Structures are given as structure tokens and as C-alpha cells.
Amino acid sequence: MVERKATKSAAAKATPKKAATKKVATKKAAASKKEAIFVDAVNAGFRAGDVYEALHTAGEAKTVEELVKLTGKSEVEVLLGIGWLLKEGKLKGDGGKVVLA
């Protein structure tokens, strides 16, 4: 009878660890999921508008990270908008920052 209690005690201690391990694995899987961005002319144009407006309002050169914060868009979306604006000649690079041309 003493052996049974020891076995149950060991099993009870092992169960919470397994549950915690599963929780961590689930969080890692959720963190690794990336948001899909549909890339087409319309979406790129809207992202370009977001970037242009943020730069116009700021009135100075901004980094990609600063534009992410200002626009509330993802880094990929900001880069998509910057690419569009660079192609149109509306932006220029300024030492790691972009500024309206």
C-alpha cells in the first residue's frame, strides 16, 4: 500500500510538468504563425498611401521601424508601401531613413 501512494505521488508530480510543456509548445506555435499579406496593386497602393501620409505628417525622414509605429502596419506592409513610393519617385533614401522627395 505504501508503494501505491509513492507511485501516485510521482505520477501526480509528472502530470503538471507535461501540461506546462504543452502550453509552452502551443504558445511557440502561435508565435510562429505569420499574417498573410495579399500583394496586389490595390493593397500596395493603400500601403503606399499610409506611408506617404505618415511621412507627410511627420515632416521629416523616418526609419522603417518608426513608420511601422506611425502607421500601425506590419513591417512587410510598410516595405511594400515604400517600394511603391520609391518606384514612383515620391521617396528618397536618407542614411537609413526615407523622406519625401
Side-chain angles (χ1 to χ4, degrees):
M1 195 178 241
V2 174
E3 290 178 43
R4 277 186 158 172
K5 287 182 181 178
T7 306
K8 285 182 180 179
S9 176
K13 288 180 182 177
T15 304
K17 287 181 184 178
K18 287 181 183 178
T21 304
K22 287 180 184 178
K23 244 185 194 179
V24 171
T26 304
K27 286 182 183 179
K28 286 181 182 177
S32 68
K33 288 184 182 178
K34 303 255 179 168
E35 179 182 330
I37 296 176
F38 188 68
V39 178
D40 64 353
V42 174
N43 193 17
F46 281 122
R47 296 304 71 88
D50 296 334
V51 170
Y52 189 90
E53 181 65 30
L55 286 169
H56 179 71
T57 302
E60 62 183 6
K62 296 289 180 186
T63 64
V64 172
E65 292 81 18
E66 291 170 331
L67 287 170
V68 167
K69 290 178 184 175
L70 288 173
T71 61
K73 304 297 178 193
S74 70
E75 184 176 352
V76 172
E77 290 173 305
V78 168
L79 291 171
L80 182 63
I82 288 172
W84 179 288
L85 293 169
L86 285 170
K87 179 69 174 163
E88 287 188 344
K90 306 245 184 217
L91 291 182
K92 63 181 181 176
D94 185 22
K97 296 184 177 190
V98 290
V99 65
L100 296 176

